[in-house]
C-alpha cells in the first residue's frame, strides 16, 4: 500500500469517527394522552399517573413524570426523545449485554402506573409499533 492510499484510508476513517460522534435524536415514546376510568367507565379525578420511559439500548437509567388527573380523568404526556451519538446505537447494546448479561434489555420501553385515590390502581404499557392504550381502567388494590 502506497503512502497516498494509506493517507486516503486514514482520512476516510477519521471522517467516519467524527460522523459517528454526531448526536442523533430518536423518539422513545410518542405523545400519549390517556383517560383513567373506573370499572363502570367513569372518569377518575385526582389519581396519580406516573409515566416511566427508557431506551434500554443507550440509557442506564429511566426517566419519569407524574401528573394528577383532572375531572375528565385525562392526562397527556409529551413525546419523549433522546439525543445520543450514533456510535452509541452500536456500542450501547454491547455495553448493556456485557454489563447485565442475560438480564440485558434493549430498545424503547414506557409504561404508566396509576395509583392513589381510594386505593385504586392500574397500569398501561407502550409496545413500540402498537397503538398506545387510550384508557386505563383502575381497580381496588389487590384485585
Amino acid at each position: 500500500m502506497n503512502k497516498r492510499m494509506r493517507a486516503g484510508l486514514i482520512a476516510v476513517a477519521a471522517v467516519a469517527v467524527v460522523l459517528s460522534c454526531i448526536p442523533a435524536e430518536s423518539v422513545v415514546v410518542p405523545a400519549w394522552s390517556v383517560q383513567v376510568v373506573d370499572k363502570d367507565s367513569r372518569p377518575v379525578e385526582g389519581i396519580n399517573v406516573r409515566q416511566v420511559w427508557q431506551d434500554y439500548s443507550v440509557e442506564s437509567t429511566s426517566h419519569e413524570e407524574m401528573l394528577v388527573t383532572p375531572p375528565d380523568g385525562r392526562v397527556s404526556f409529551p413525546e419523549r426523545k433522546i439525543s445520543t451519538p450514533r456510535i452509541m446505537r452500536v456500542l450501547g447494546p454491547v455495553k448493556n449485554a456485557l454489563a447485565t448479561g442475560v438480564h440485558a434489555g434493549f430498545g424503547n420501553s414506557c409504561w404508566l402506573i396509576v395509583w392513589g385515590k381510594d386505593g385504586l390502581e392500574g397500569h398501561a404499557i407502550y409496545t413500540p409499533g402498537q397503538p398506545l392504550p387510550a384508557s386505563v381502567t383502575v381497580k381496588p388494590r389487590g384485585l
Side-chain angles (χ1 to χ4, degrees):
M1 181 180 307
N2 65 34
K3 287 184 180 184
R4 179 179 237 155
M5 187 177 221
R6 188 175 312 148
L9 287 175
I10 291 172
V12 168
V15 168
V17 168
V18 168
L19 290 177
S20 70
C21 293
I22 296 172
E25 195 170 71
S26 62
V27 175
V28 177
V29 63
W32 192 351
S33 180
V34 64
Q35 185 177 38
V36 178
V37 296
D38 64 15
K39 64 181 176 58
D40 298 318
S41 298
R42 292 183 304 234
V44 178
E45 177 183 7
I47 197 162
N48 303 308
V49 182
R50 175 174 288 152
Q51 182 185 49
V52 182
W53 70 97
Q54 181 175 354
D55 183 339
Y56 284 96
S57 295
V58 295
E59 296 182 293
S60 58
T61 58
S62 63
H63 313 272
E64 55 185 66
E65 179 181 358
M66 191 181 82
L67 300 174
V68 177
T69 57
D72 68 353
R74 184 168 301 282
V75 293
S76 295
F77 294 97
E79 178 179 71
R80 306 300 184 174
K81 295 180 180 181
I82 60 168
S83 181
T84 57
R86 287 176 168 84
I87 190 70
M88 288 308 297
R89 290 281 163 203
V90 175
L91 297 180
V94 172
K95 176 184 167 249
N96 191 2
L98 292 174
T100 56
V102 297
H103 302 288
F106 303 98
N108 301 341
S109 179
C110 181
W111 58 95
L112 302 178
I113 304 163
V114 182
W115 84 99
K117 183 177 182 180
D118 300 328
L120 297 173
E121 61 184 18
H123 69 277
I125 299 172
Y126 163 64
T127 303
Q130 300 294 317
L132 290 164
S135 65
V136 175
T137 301
V138 291
K139 300 175 183 169
R141 187 169 293 122
L143 291 181

